[in-house]
Structures are given as C-alpha cells and as structure tokens.
Amino acid sequence: MPSAVLATTFDGTQYGYPIASETYALFYNRALVSSADVPRTFEDLIIFSHDFNNANPGMNGFVMDVSAAYYTIVFTTAGGNRLFGPTGADMTNSFINSPSAVEGMRFFQNMRDILDVPAGDMNTAFADAAFASGNAAMHLTGPWNIGPFRDAGLDFGVTTIPSLPGEANPPASFAGTRVMFASAYSDYPEEAQMFAQFLISPEMQQLRYEITGALPSMPMELDDEHLNGILAQLEFAFPMPSVPGMAAFWSAMEAASSNIWEGHDIQEQLDMANMAMVGN
C-alpha cells in the first residue's frame, strides 16, 4: 500500500485524501561520481567513500546529518522493522531497540570511519554546505534542497537510498503526507467528498506539481529528473506514526543517534530511546 494511503488509514478505514507526499533520497554530484558508479548498497558506499576520501583530502564521499532522527531511522528498518510496529500503531513497543534496529545502528556507527566528524558538527547545515560547495560526492537529503543546489550551479542526480546489508531493496525512509478531509459537519458532505476526490485525480496532482512543486501522492512520471528520484524512494517510504509516543521520538532518537555516532553502547542507547517513547 502506498505510504500516502497508509498515512490516512486507521484500522482498515481510510479517513482522508492524500494530496501530496515527500521523503528524502540520495543526492550525488555528477562531477564527482557518475550515475553508473553511484553505490547501490551502503557497503559499496563505504568502499567508495574510503577511496574518494583518500584521493581527495578535505572532501567527503558521503555526508548526512548524523543526529537527525528523520534520517537515521532508515538504519533501523531492515527486515521490515518499523517504528511502533508494522502499522505504526503499537503503543506498547517502539521497536527502535529491536535486534534489527541494533544491527542497523551498528552499521551506522561504523560509518564514522568514512565521515570522521563529531555528531555536534555533522549537522544539516554542514552537510548541505559541503554538498552545495562541491566538497561532498553524495548527500542524504530531500526535495527542499533541489532548488538551492540548482542555484549553486551543481550538476547533480537523485536516486534511491542505498540498501542496508542483507537487503535487496532501498531502506524504508520516513514519508510526510499532506491530507484533505471532508468534515463530518459539512452541510454538503457529498460535494465536499467530490471536491476532495478531484484533488487526488491524476490531472489535479499534475497541476498541483506544476504550480507548487509539491510531489504527487500517487506514482506518476514527472518531467523533473530530480523529483523522479524522490518519487522512486517514496515507493519504499512509510508514514511517520501518529501515536502519542512520537512526541518523545524526535529528541530521544536524536540523542541516541548522536551518542551512537560517538561510540556509545548501541543497545543501551536504543533501550533508553524506547523507554522514553513507551516507558518500558
């Protein structure tokens, strides 16, 4: 089921109309890595980055915000592991400290070898600036950076996130969805639903993209190679859960990600994050 539909569905019933979606993907600088040579796995990304870093002192093969839970969540999703369970509604367990999540974050921690920058410095501003200035070959970021990178004069591509060890497909990223609802208190419920259905029609999705640049909530080909790269990753994205525990997720996972990057015990950090979210 597409992430946009999942985001509007509860207990098998769809309550809203998804009109736009977004996620993040792998951006790459074509002056530093060709489309044919972009790593398809994180294991290959590490190999590429080792070689690139050695050949280009002061530059990086790969950058990302290593503290942002929005991005580091991908390392916890191997084997179908999902935050707050398969439907994102399990309020008894966040699954952020499951064996799959621990193993994925161990791989994340090992990436410090190719990106030896403290978590406090390896933030979004640093990563964006490194890529925009041509000092990084690859960057994990989203569609909001397409305009700025174009303005910087970069020749870049966008593709799906490299797969995790043992996985064939790209890892699951967070998806954000904009939704329209027909009010139950409307004097014209049928007309409201007809309008909402019009908003998710292919023609309106295309027009909305042309006017606003917003990504469609349904699979469709756009005349923009960069946004098509985001759409390709969106096929593997999952909606951010809406359970109460998400209120604690961001700060808890940010702290865990930062500490893990700095070499702290992975299981301990993820256990603390889980406790902050669900209390056990």
Side-chain angles (χ1 to χ4, degrees), residues 25-278:
L26 186 71
F27 286 52
Y28 60 94
N29 185 334
R30 290 196 177 99
L32 303 175
V33 55
S34 69
S35 300
D37 292 331
V38 173
R40 300 303 174 190
T41 71
F42 266 109
E43 292 157 308
D44 287 341
L45 183 146
I46 287 179
I47 294 171
F48 170 88
S49 296
H50 270 302
D51 294 342
F52 182 90
N53 295 351
N54 290 335
N56 300 275
M59 300 175 69
N60 293 104
F62 174 71
V63 293
M64 65 173 285
D65 186 332
V66 299
S67 296
Y70 185 57
Y71 301 121
T72 62
I73 190 68
V74 301
F75 294 96
T76 73
T77 62
N81 190 63
R82 295 292 182 270
L83 187 64
F84 294 108
T87 65
D90 188 338
M91 292 181 283
T92 66
N93 193 338
S94 73
F95 295 93
I96 203 68
N97 60 340
S98 71
S100 293
V102 172
E103 190 61 29
M105 291 304 286
R106 180 171 291 110
F107 187 83
F108 165 78
Q109 188 179 63
N110 290 337
M111 290 176 63
R112 181 68 184 265
D113 289 342
I114 62 162
L115 188 55
D116 193 16
V117 180
D121 296 326
M122 192 61 254
N123 53 30
T124 295
F126 180 100
D128 287 353
F131 191 80
S133 64
N135 287 315
M138 294 174 287
H139 180 19
L140 191 64
T141 187
W144 48 87
N145 264 329
I146 290 175
F149 292 160
R150 284 173 176 167
D151 293 342
L154 291 180
D155 178 16
F156 67 98
V158 181
T159 189
T160 51
I161 301 171
S163 62
L164 296 170
E167 298 284 300
N169 293 323
S173 53
F174 266 156
T177 304
R178 297 179 183 178
V179 183
M180 294 290 288
F181 295 93
S183 173
Y185 299 100
S186 172
D187 291 332
Y188 305 97
E190 293 184 7
E191 290 82 355
Q193 291 182 7
M194 289 175 61
F195 178 68
Q197 290 171 345
F198 163 72
L199 292 178
I200 62 172
S201 66
E203 296 80 6
M204 188 59 196
Q205 291 274 291
Q206 179 69 33
L207 181 61
R208 181 181 177 85
Y209 154 70
E210 292 173 357
I211 293 174
T212 69
L215 283 171
S217 60
M218 62 182 65
M220 60 188 301
E221 191 72 17
L222 303 176
D223 59 354
D224 186 311
E225 62 161 325
H226 299 130
L227 288 178
N228 280 327
I230 301 291
L231 281 177
Q233 177 60 38
L234 199 56
E235 291 294 301
F236 301 96
F238 69 106
M240 287 177 274
S242 57
V243 295
M246 279 300 290
F249 165 76
W250 301 105
S251 59
M253 190 58 181
E254 178 178 336
S257 299
S258 296
N259 290 335
I260 289 170
W261 188 254
E262 297 302 332
H264 291 244
D265 184 81
I266 297 166
Q267 186 72 65
E268 180 181 275
Q269 291 298 316
L270 295 182
D271 285 345
M272 288 192 293
N274 179 69
M275 183 172 293
M277 287 182 263
V278 299

